[in-house]
Amino acid sequence: MNYDEIIKRLHALADSTAVEGMARFGISSTNTLGVSIPNLRQLARPIGRDHHLAQQLWDSGLHEGRILAAFVDDPAQVTDEQMERWVKDFDSWDVCDQVCSSLFDRTPMTYGKAAEWSGRPEEFVKRAGFALMAALAWHDKKAADSAFEPFFALIEREAADERNYVKKAVNWALRQMGKRSPYLNQRAIETARTLQTMNSRAARWIAADALRELTRK
């Protein structure tokens, strides 16, 4: 299936009612067709890995085209330059999270990008940093607990960011790391206790929500 055929398939699957529903969940309606994630995954399955096609789909500017690009790209061919170019295009939390958890977290640069992006000022770039932390905790089964240790300090540093898409990603990263192992659970709880003492509503919200999950017996 070539690029033109895929674009036609995406438009055939378009659902304007779904776009309205997505907007209620904070998903950008710009260049959005309303194609569901299950339909995008079904479309990606016969394509397999195709790095060139992924670049074409990203450059289409279509919301769903960019998510599909993450599903079909080859992590082994993703470059630092590509990651920087794509992250600057993030304009919706779902594109950010799908790209980070379906593609970027499988690249050799991912731990470094998680740390770097967590300190960037742009809302969706910063979210991407913490989305990578969450995705790594979920997917990188071979990583030692020590690989995640530096992320706790970054969570403390950025927890006061009041922007909704940032604080929710910080919370996601903290919870996901805390579910990975008994040691990281304890470290996540300790970090959440620290956040509770901060003079920040965002930090205290992150702490309370994380502790509800991490201390559940």
Side-chain angles (χ1 to χ4, degrees):
M1 194 182 308
N2 64 32
Y3 170 77
D4 290 333
E5 291 171 332
I6 292 169
I7 295 299
K8 287 180 182 178
R9 288 285 300 277
L10 288 174
H11 280 283
L13 292 167
D15 183 346
S16 59
T17 302
V19 175
E20 295 173 6
M22 292 161 70
R24 288 194 292 272
F25 285 95
I27 294 173
S28 174
S29 58
T30 302
N31 294 324
T32 301
L33 300 174
V35 183
S36 70
I37 294 296
N39 278 336
L40 290 175
R41 292 196 182 280
Q42 185 175 5
L43 187 57
R45 198 167 294 119
I47 297 171
R49 296 293 184 186
D50 190 325
H51 182 63
H52 176 68
L53 177 61
Q55 310 315 302
Q56 291 180 298
L57 289 169
W58 189 267
D59 291 338
S60 74
L62 286 174
H63 186 94
E64 287 83 359
R66 289 182 164 174
I67 293 175
L68 184 59
F71 293 165
V72 304
D73 205 351
D74 179 1
Q77 296 187 64
V78 172
T79 64
D80 185 282
E81 183 276 333
Q82 177 185 336
M83 293 179 76
E84 289 296 332
R85 183 166 60 88
W86 283 24
V87 77
K88 290 175 184 175
D89 287 338
F90 288 170
D91 64 351
S92 188
W93 65 263
D94 62 325
V95 174
C96 172
D97 295 358
Q98 290 293 343
V99 173
C100 287
S101 63
S102 299
L103 178 65
F104 284 177
D105 66 326
R106 292 162 170 80
T107 69
M109 297 79 74
T110 186
Y111 281 89
K113 290 300 181 186
E116 178 189 346
W117 290 346
S118 72
R120 292 266 290 272
E122 307 97 311
E123 184 171 13
F124 286 111
V125 178
K126 181 173 284 191
R127 181 183 176 93
F130 290 102
L132 279 179
M133 295 179 199
L136 286 167
W138 183 16
H139 291 143
D140 193 357
K141 305 300 185 184
K142 295 181 179 180
D145 285 351
S146 58
F148 299 92
E149 187 66 40
F151 293 157
F152 291 108
L154 301 178
I155 285 173
E156 290 184 25
R157 186 190 70 191
E158 303 298 338
D161 194 318
E162 297 285 345
R163 291 175 293 181
N164 194 47
Y165 295 125
V166 173
K167 73 178 184 181
K168 287 189 174 182
V170 175
N171 172 263
W172 181 25
L174 184 60
R175 288 185 294 106
Q176 203 65 43
M177 288 193 292
K179 292 187 288 185
R180 184 179 171 89
S181 72
Y183 171 76
L184 289 176
N185 177 265
Q186 187 58 40
R187 286 291 290 116
I189 290 172
E190 290 170 359
T191 300
R193 299 291 188 205
T194 298
L195 301 188
Q196 283 183 314
T197 69
M198 294 174 62
N199 184 27
S200 163
R201 288 182 302 173
R204 292 195 297 271
W205 176 84
I206 291 167
D209 188 74
L211 286 169
R212 274 194 295 272
E213 183 167 348
L214 298 176
T215 59
R216 189 182 300 150
K217 300 299 183 182

